[in-house]
Amino acid sequence: MGTDLQMEEVDCPVCEASKGDPLYQEGSFQMVRCPSCQFVFLNPRPTTESLLSFYQDYLPEGESSIESWGKMMKSVFHRAATLLGQYRKDGRLLDVGTGFGFFLTEMKNKGWEVAGVEICRKAIDYARDVLGLTVHPGPAEKLGFPDNYFDAVTGFYVIEHLPHPMAFLRECYRILKPGGLLLLRYPHTTPIKNVLHLFGIRNRLYDLPAHLSDFSPKMIQQCLEKIGFRKCQHLIGGYTRPGDPGKRAASILFGSVSEAVFFLSRKKLLLPGVSKTVLAYKG
Ligand SMILES: [Zn+2]
């Protein structure tokens, strides 16, 4: 992987002030940290065109592996559906990076009017032909949805893949109705990298070059508030169940411990280094 990727050097995708200082190397890829805003991002990184072809093979192929992808995400999707249900009973929802469309199906069954955005062709075909969903070929910023159009926008494990995360967040803000809800799910890997580095344990946890950045909860909240979102709230929001038994055990263990700590601390303590769900409302 990565041999046919065209790479380019970029400025910090959040503040544009620097090309970043080296942080961690994974194979031939390098994560850097912006000295100005502390954002952690891949630099150099694949060009946007290379990424488009890279993602055609990113999601699994074949009926059984599509199904196991659904199983892996099930608890996360279910928790998010519950959160949306607490926000409102139904409404118009856009899911960005919708994959095969399992989350949209769950929301559609709850009475929401749903649409998805996706760049992987085989995922679009599956969501449309097998699940009967409306899915637009992305990226979301190019689709020209009307202002103030959606009651909710969701993105599961999407923002870390985007070359222009700020443009994406601004677009989410524009297309949401006033008071509309943004729900994002993202990994936060740097704290785990730091611990493993202390013990000299080699790893490729950043998942490069697929992940272009590593948002911390603090950074994502700053970005959201800068754009105008309000009432940002972080949650653990469940955990994935990967097919590989070792990864699944780790995910369940760290996910459960994080949930317990979060609950026992009265929603104050979020363990670093596990995936998070963030909610924010259009101001
Ligand atoms: Zn920066």
Side-chain angles (χ1 to χ4, degrees):
M1 183 169 58
T3 48
D4 53 351
L5 287 171
Q6 299 280 322
M7 304 293 280
E8 63 180 353
E9 238 195 359
V10 294
D11 291 327
C12 171
V14 165
C15 76
E16 293 172 2
S18 152
K19 297 198 184 307
D21 300 328
L23 181 63
Y24 288 116
Q25 189 89 19
E26 285 191 5
S28 57
F29 301 108
Q30 165 120 305
M31 279 303 234
V32 300
R33 191 196 296 273
C34 173
S36 173
C37 75
Q38 309 301 312
F39 189 53
V40 174
F41 60 101
L42 175 64
N43 210 9
R45 73 182 187 196
T47 61
T48 307
E49 271 153 40
S50 304
L51 283 171
L52 192 62
S53 57
F54 172 80
Y55 279 119
Q56 299 313 309
D57 295 316
Y58 188 65
L59 286 166
E61 249 173 294
E63 200 67 28
S64 65
S65 41
I66 292 174
E67 227 170 75
S68 55
W69 181 84
K71 272 188 197 147
M72 176 173 93
M73 297 297 295
K74 196 173 173 187
S75 124
V76 168
F77 286 161
H78 188 67
R79 292 287 289 272
T82 305
L83 287 169
L84 283 183
Q86 288 164 358
Y87 165 63
R88 51 184 299 148
K89 251 183 77 202
D90 52 28
R92 193 179 283 149
L93 166 74
L94 182 72
D95 183 36
V96 181
T98 201
F100 299 104
F102 294 120
F103 179 66
L104 284 184
T105 301
E106 180 157 352
M107 296 309 293
K108 189 179 171 186
N109 292 340
K110 287 179 186 286
W112 285 64
E113 182 188 329
V114 301
V117 179
E118 178 50 55
I119 60 169
C120 174
R121 193 67 239 179
K122 65 183 177 233
I124 297 174
D125 290 345
Y126 183 91
R128 282 180 179 169
D129 302 343
V130 180
L131 301 178
L133 297 164
T134 302
V135 177
H136 306 278
E141 296 94 294
K142 300 226 168 116
L143 294 178
F145 289 112
D147 291 353
N148 310 317
Y149 189 67
F150 291 99
D151 296 291
V153 174
T154 53
F156 297 90
Y157 297 108
V158 168
I159 195 161
E160 69 275 16
H161 294 270
L162 302 178
H164 307 292
M166 292 302 279
F168 164 72
L169 293 177
R170 274 192 287 271
E171 181 67 359
C172 292
Y173 190 86
R174 186 186 70 78
I175 62 179
L176 275 169
K177 292 178 185 173
L181 173 65
L182 176 68
L183 184 155
L184 298 174
R185 175 89 183 161
Y186 64 97
H188 183 207
T189 306
T190 302
I192 306 179
K193 293 287 292 192
N194 292 342
V195 172
L196 295 178
H197 181 73
L198 274 180
F199 292 98
I201 300 169
R202 293 168 71 89
N203 63 86
R204 296 205 168 192
L205 288 179
Y206 275 131
D207 195 8
L208 308 179
H211 291 183
L212 304 184
S213 61
D214 191 51
F215 276 90
S216 67
K218 191 176 160 200
M219 176 61 67
I220 216 159
Q221 180 157 350
Q222 279 173 359
C223 292
L224 289 167
E225 287 173 352
K226 195 174 167 195
I227 288 165
F229 284 99
R230 60 189 176 84
K231 289 200 281 181
C232 280
Q233 188 194 357
H234 266 93
L235 303 161
I236 302 296
Y239 38 85
T240 55
R241 289 172 184 271
D244 176 79
K247 285 185 184 167
R248 186 167 59 237
S251 179
I252 292 172
L253 173 67
F254 286 108
S256 315
V257 169
S258 309
E259 296 260 37
V261 168
F262 186 60
F263 177 74
L264 292 171
S265 69
R266 299 187 180 180
K267 302 189 178 179
K268 286 199 182 77
L269 207 66
L270 283 163
L271 279 195
V274 291
S275 291
K276 309 277 189 312
T277 295
V278 62
L279 306 176
Y281 299 82
K282 178 167 176 173

